[in-house]
Amino acid sequence: MKRFFIFLWIFISVLCIIYTFKWLFFTKHIWHFKTSAGKLEYFKYYEEIMKSIPSPTSTHQIETAWGDVFIYEWRNQNAKDFSPIILLSGHSSGTPMWSENLEYFTKNHTVFAIDTLWDVWKSIQNVPLESGDDSLWLAETVNKLWISKAHFVGHSFWAGYLANFAVKNPEKVESLTLLEPAIALNSLSFKTMFWATISSIWLFPESWKNYALAQISWESSENISSENPLAQMIKVASTEFSSSLPSPKTLSTEELKNINFPVYVALSDKSAITGKAALESAKLIPNATVKVWENTTHSLPMEVKEELSKELEIFWKKIDFTKNKIQFSKYLLNYKKWKNLQI
């Protein structure tokens, strides 16, 4: 019996290594659902969640070189003096992830929520993406929305991609909010990659996959296997969806120290995705507000939605008021110059 368990452990470890190397180095294709039934089930939960939140004022289908990007917009007519918010959600969760945060974000801002390319959701990928293309398609999308600058907010893997985008396109960034960012501030540990692989192998029992996800996020297995529509939607995606996701790049010490826009970093005190290494990296950013939220998991944005939203609103208002003050000062200076020319 002991030999059997040793053999089983070796078999699982080898399988995980093969899947991990395939994911990191060999997988390159256009995302797709493995079965039509899986697609129907995923979008059943997706639409169920979207019906529970305020209807967007409009939607956009932006054509890019890599595919069509689907975007929801909640326009606030009283927010003309404030930069818009652009949301990018965690892997496999899409715009529905923000269902409990939107009521706070839309109070004082116009909000755009992007269903990102090469991940499950409503955007349509037409071309395989290489590492670094995440910055290019997002820049093209923002340009075609006619947004000069925005407050960018990302969670998990898409916070990781967003950090790389912001470093390459600082002129588009009013501020950057990273909620439990994956990989951008620290490399994933072998242990985390092992459990991530376990959670994605279709032939393993569901109880194993739930346990693996719990080891990554530090949520309970019961929460992961709950009937909550968002949890069910993500679980369906983990088994029924095939994507080619190049890993976000971990930012260098030099890149972190050269960031010249305001940054807010929210980290969980329990998550295996970030941890002490991410905290130390975040502290290298010159103009950063860094907070470790106690008694939270990798699902931090949903767990402390009200408290987090209040902090972010203060963070954004300070930036917008400073920007408007500078713009008014420049207007006043130009007006005085014009008046002097008239004399």
Side-chain angles (χ1 to χ4, degrees), residues 114-126:
I114 299 178
D115 274 4
T116 53
L117 277 178
W118 90 60
D119 205 348
V120 60
W121 315 322
K122 287 191 173 181
S123 293
I124 302 169
Q125 181 188 355
N126 296 327

Side-chain angles (χ1 to χ4, degrees), residues 162-225:
L162 195 52
N164 281 272
F165 163 84
V167 167
K168 294 174 183 176
N169 301 273
E171 73 285 353
K172 299 183 185 299
V173 183
E174 199 73 75
S175 74
L176 175 65
T177 297
L178 303 176
L179 308 176
E180 271 287 287
I183 304 178
L185 299 178
N186 62 296
S187 302
L188 293 181
S189 67
F190 176 80
K191 181 180 177 182
T192 301
M193 293 178 69
F194 173 82
W195 289 120
T197 306
I198 290 287
S199 71
S200 64
I201 298 177
W202 64 271
L203 55 82
F204 287 163
E206 187 173 339
S207 59
W208 289 23
K209 291 188 280 188
N210 288 343
Y211 181 80
L213 288 170
Q215 295 303 305
I216 297 168
S217 67
W218 277 88
E219 292 187 73
S220 67
S221 298
E222 290 75 18
N223 283 347
I224 290 169
S225 60

Side-chain angles (χ1 to χ4, degrees), residues 295-333:
N295 302 313
T296 59
T297 69
H298 189 57
S299 298
L300 184 153
M302 292 80 87
E303 293 169 337
V304 289
K305 53 184 179 294
E306 187 171 359
E307 301 93 327
L308 176 65
S309 298
K310 286 178 179 178
E311 286 210 9
L312 289 178
E313 189 55 45
I314 294 170
F315 173 68
W316 291 326
K317 273 188 176 178
K318 183 179 178 182
I319 295 165
D320 285 329
F321 283 146
T322 302
K323 175 194 69 175
N324 291 335
K325 186 177 179 181
I326 292 171
Q327 287 178 342
F328 180 74
S329 297
K330 287 181 178 178
Y331 167 79
L332 199 60
L333 182 63

Side-chain angles (χ1 to χ4, degrees), residues 53 87 95-107 111 179 299-306 308-309 312 316:
I53 63 180
L87 303 174
T95 297
M97 183 203 120
W98 303 107
S99 60
E100 296 183 356
N101 305 91
L102 277 166
E103 66 171 299
Y104 302 102
F105 294 165
T106 55
K107 281 182 180 178
V111 176
L179 308 176
S299 298
L300 184 153
M302 292 80 87
E303 293 169 337
V304 289
K305 53 184 179 294
E306 187 171 359
L308 176 65
S309 298
L312 289 178
W316 291 326

